[in-house]
Every structure is written in C-alpha cells, then in structure tokens.
C-alpha cells in the first residue's frame, strides 16, 4: 500500500528539488500532507511492532522504509524527497506501535478476567 501511494500511482514526470527543511507553517496543504503521512504509516508501525516487539526497532524499520521510499521517489521522479515525509512517517509508525501495544495490553487484561 505504501509503495502504491508513494510511488506507483504517480507519473515519472513529477520532479522537484529535495526539501531539507522542516515545515511547520500553518498552510493547509502542508498539514494535510503531514497528516496523511502519519495515517499512512500507522498500520506499518503496528505490524512491525507485532514482529519486533520493540518501539526502537519499529522506529528504525519505519525510518529505513521512509528514507528508502524518498530515495526511490527522487531517482524515479515520482514524487518529492522531503524531510517532512520522513519525520511524519516516523511519527505515524511510532503511533501505530503504541496503539498496537495498548491494544495488546487491553486484550491481555481482558483475557485474564
């Protein structure tokens, strides 16, 4: 799903410079993109946490995945390599891991009752 959304559905003509600055401007377009990046990586964070059982491992795998997607976007001209994407993808993955951990603890507690 992540590969489809970030790479495959875009045409190769989309090309911009790499954005190295973090944007926290009150621009609706920026915040919409950031929110979508968070939402996109929540399921991945939960899945990785289910396999790794570590927030640090989940964060590292999500960071690696996000950087890899941005590198591929840059070289294939199918998107913009942006530090905001990496940051908010990482936030989404960590949120997914925390949600999965909370769900697992809730389920375990409920099973004990």
């Amino acid at each position: 799903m992540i590969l489809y959304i970030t790479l495959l559905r875009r045409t190769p003509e989309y090309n911009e410079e790499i954005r190295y600055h973090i944007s926290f401007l009150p621009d609706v377009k920026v915040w919409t993109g950031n929110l979508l990046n968070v939402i996109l990586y929540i399921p991945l964070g939960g899945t990785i946490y289910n396999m790794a059982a570590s927030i640090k491992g989940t964060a590292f795998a999500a960071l690696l995945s996000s950087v890899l997607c941005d590198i591929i976007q840059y070289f294939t001209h199918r998107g913009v390599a942006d530090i905001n994407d990496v940051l908010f993808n990482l936030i989404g993955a960590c949120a997914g891991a925390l949600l999965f951990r909370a769900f697992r603890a809730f389920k375990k507690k409920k099973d004990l009752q």
Side-chain angles (χ1 to χ4, degrees):
M1 180 71 117
I2 290 172
L3 287 176
Y4 174 75
I5 290 172
T6 60
L7 297 169
L8 300 177
R9 70 179 178 92
R10 296 181 174 158
T11 60
E13 295 86 30
Y14 192 82
N15 189 13
E16 286 187 32
E17 293 295 317
I18 298 175
R19 296 184 204 156
Y20 294 108
H21 62 283
I22 297 175
S23 279
F24 290 111
L25 302 174
D27 181 4
V28 173
K29 189 175 178 181
V30 170
W31 281 108
T32 302
N34 292 343
L35 180 62
L36 290 174
N37 283 331
V38 170
I39 292 169
L40 180 65
Y41 267 71
I42 286 175
L44 180 68
T47 303
I48 294 171
Y49 184 79
N50 187 30
M51 296 184 310
S54 162
I55 297 290
K56 287 181 183 179
T58 301
F60 179 74
L63 182 66
L64 190 65
S65 167
S66 183
V67 168
L68 183 64
C69 279
D70 274 275
I71 288 170
I72 293 170
Q73 282 180 340
Y74 177 74
F75 285 112
T76 62
H77 304 291
R78 291 182 180 261
V80 179
D82 190 354
I83 192 70
N84 284 329
D85 291 348
V86 174
L87 176 67
F88 285 97
N89 291 343
L90 180 62
I91 290 169
C94 290
L98 292 172
L99 286 170
F100 188 85
R101 184 168 74 177
F103 174 75
R104 187 188 295 172
F106 175 76
K107 187 174 185 253
K108 189 175 184 179
K109 184 178 178 181
K110 190 167 183 162
D111 288 344
L112 291 176
Q113 292 178 355

